[in-house]
Every structure is written in C-alpha cells, then in structure tokens.
Amino acid sequence: MKRFLVIWGCCLSLMASAQQLPVLCYHNITEPGTHKNDGLHIDRHQFERQLKTLSDSGYHTILPDEMVALLQQRKPFPAHACMITFDDSHAEHYTVAAPLLERYHFKGVFFVMTVTLNKPHYLSSAQIKALADQGHVVASHTWDHPFPEGYKDWHQELVTPRQQLEKITGRPVVYFAYPFGAYNDSIITHVQQAGYKAAFQLNHLPAPGKVLFTLRRLIVNGGWSGAQLLHEMTLYGTQ
C-alpha cells in the first residue's frame, strides 16, 4: 500500500506540474479583415498584441526538451514560463509568426503535417530548415492529419513524417501533436513505438500514467485581448 501511494503521489505530481506550464496553440495567422478572430484564426496585428503582452508581463518561452526534463525530475517550471506552438504547417508560421517571435525574443514549436510539404500556402522544406536553424523546434503532426479512426498506416502517419523532418532539419524530431488533440490508448502506443519522446493534446488534463504522451495545450482564441490571454493562462493550472 505504501508503495502504491508513493507511485500515485508521483503521478499526481507529474499531472499537476504539466498543468502549471501554459502551452499555447495557434493555427491560422491571417491578414486583418480576412477572417473573424476565433479559436482557429488570429490576424497578425492581434497576434503581435498578444506576444507584446506576454513580453511586457515578463513571460519567456521554454522548449519541449526543458519541459520534459523538468517533468521527469519533478522540478517546478521557471516563473513566467510558457510554450508557444503552431499547428498545421501554414506558410504564415514562417513569414509572419517567426519574425514576430524573434522581435519579442521568443522561440516556438512548429507541428508539421508533411502531406502539405512544399505545397502553395504551406511550409516549404527550406522554411522548415530555417525555423530549426533559428532555434525553434520542428515537430510532427502526422502525414495527413487524420481523425483517430483514420490511422490506417501507422508507419506513414508517424514514422515517415519524423524521418522526413529529420532529413530536412538535420535534427532529431521527437515531439508529436495529435491532430484535433484526439488520441486513444492505441494511438499513444504507436506514437511511443515510433520513437517520440512526448506528445501533446488539447484542453484536457493529462491522462494518469501517460502524462508525457498527453501533455495539455491551450487553444488561443484570436479574439482574446492580451489581458484575457493572461487571465486564461492563470486559470490553466486549475481547470
């Protein structure tokens, strides 16, 4: 019983720690007036306002290697730390987001789906390589962004994208984000077998015993002011 309580206590500690680091998730960065700012869209001026608020409030970014190490060591995250991530390989992640991150001295994590590689309006191999060279993290988001029941070929969805991105960047690709934030036990097992070190979902508490493969992210609403973003981040560890 004592051993069980120790193990359970460690699991609870990991789960609590995972919630204390706000991991922000962005998708489409648009030109003002072209889309409504919402859960999947944010115009570039609003995006910069949010980044400026984070910077003015003393926030700094950490990357997945540091996050995972601190979780494994059960150590607290630095004060005013956050992670900024981007999904779905949009070209604006390089042309708009990356320069703004640089302006405010932030680094990001870019979850790339490789079916769009080098296609119009999506990241090119050269842009992905440049992001990695600039100190950002390039990570996997599957080949073609399937729903949970759509993983028909595990190697194509999980292994080949990692290998492609490693060839492009010249760096290990060991982090993964579930499309739609959706996962199940089978997907987690295959993600682990494919060689990933950790995986990110959306909006839910990490699963007991599988914390590193169910790390939580917060979808940022493009309609949030900087102040509201900060408020949502303060609630992040309590929901």
Side-chain angles (χ1 to χ4, degrees):
M1 175 61 73
K2 182 177 180 181
R3 183 180 180 186
F4 170 80
L5 290 174
V6 169
I7 293 172
W8 180 243
C10 290
C11 290
L12 289 177
S13 176
L14 274 173
M15 290 176 66
S17 296
Q19 295 310 290
Q20 292 169 6
L21 180 74
V23 182
L24 310 180
C25 177
Y26 291 93
H27 288 81
N28 300 277
I29 301 175
T30 65
E31 287 300 307
T34 59
H35 291 82
K36 180 182 178 181
N37 284 330
D38 56 22
L40 291 177
H41 302 85
I42 184 168
D43 74 58
R44 58 187 177 87
H45 294 323
Q46 180 72 351
F47 178 62
E48 181 170 11
R49 283 191 284 268
Q50 290 186 353
L51 291 185
K52 185 177 186 302
T53 298
L54 291 175
S55 179
D56 290 347
S57 301
Y59 276 88
H60 65 280
T61 48
I62 68 173
L63 296 175
D65 278 349
E66 184 177 358
M67 178 185 187
V68 168
L70 290 171
L71 283 171
Q72 290 174 328
Q73 297 164 19
R74 300 185 184 88
K75 292 183 178 179
F77 293 110
H80 289 92
C82 67
M83 189 182 297
I84 302 175
T85 72
F86 302 86
D87 283 9
D88 298 348
S89 317
H90 299 289
E92 289 81 7
H93 295 169
Y94 177 78
T95 59
V96 178
L100 289 174
L101 292 174
E102 183 69 22
R103 181 177 301 175
Y104 292 99
H105 309 289
F106 294 141
K107 296 298 181 186
V109 184
F110 295 83
F111 289 104
V112 176
M113 55 181 186
T114 52
V115 70
T116 61
L117 190 62
N118 297 316
K119 292 183 178 179
H121 312 298
Y122 291 94
L123 291 171
S124 68
S125 296
Q127 290 171 333
I128 291 169
K129 176 69 162 61
L131 288 171
D133 288 347
Q134 292 166 12
H136 303 291
V137 170
V138 172
S140 175
H141 200 36
T142 72
W143 174 60
D144 65 348
H145 208 277
F147 287 102
E149 64 276 11
Y151 290 80
K152 305 302 183 184
D153 184 333
W154 294 105
H155 193 276
Q156 182 183 50
E157 293 293 353
L158 301 177
V159 178
T160 300
R162 179 173 59 78
Q163 294 173 339
Q164 285 180 292
L165 295 173
E166 288 179 341
K167 184 175 181 180
I168 291 169
T169 63
R171 294 167 171 82
V173 172
V174 293
Y175 299 105
F176 180 82
Y178 303 104
F180 310 103
Y183 63 90
N184 55 40
D185 287 343
S186 176
I187 294 172
I188 291 175
T189 297
H190 282 92
V191 168
Q192 292 171 321
Q193 292 173 345
Y196 294 98
K197 192 174 180 178
F200 293 79
Q201 43 114 354
L202 292 170
N203 295 337
H204 299 290
L205 292 172
K210 299 177 182 179
V211 171
L212 291 181
F213 286 85
T214 57
L215 293 170
R216 184 184 183 192
R217 292 190 294 163
L218 173 68
I219 293 182
V220 178
N221 192 304
W224 290 346
S225 65
Q228 187 169 358
L229 174 60
L230 292 179
H231 176 68
E232 296 293 334
M233 291 167 67
T234 63
L235 296 177
Y236 190 79
T238 62
Q239 296 177 331

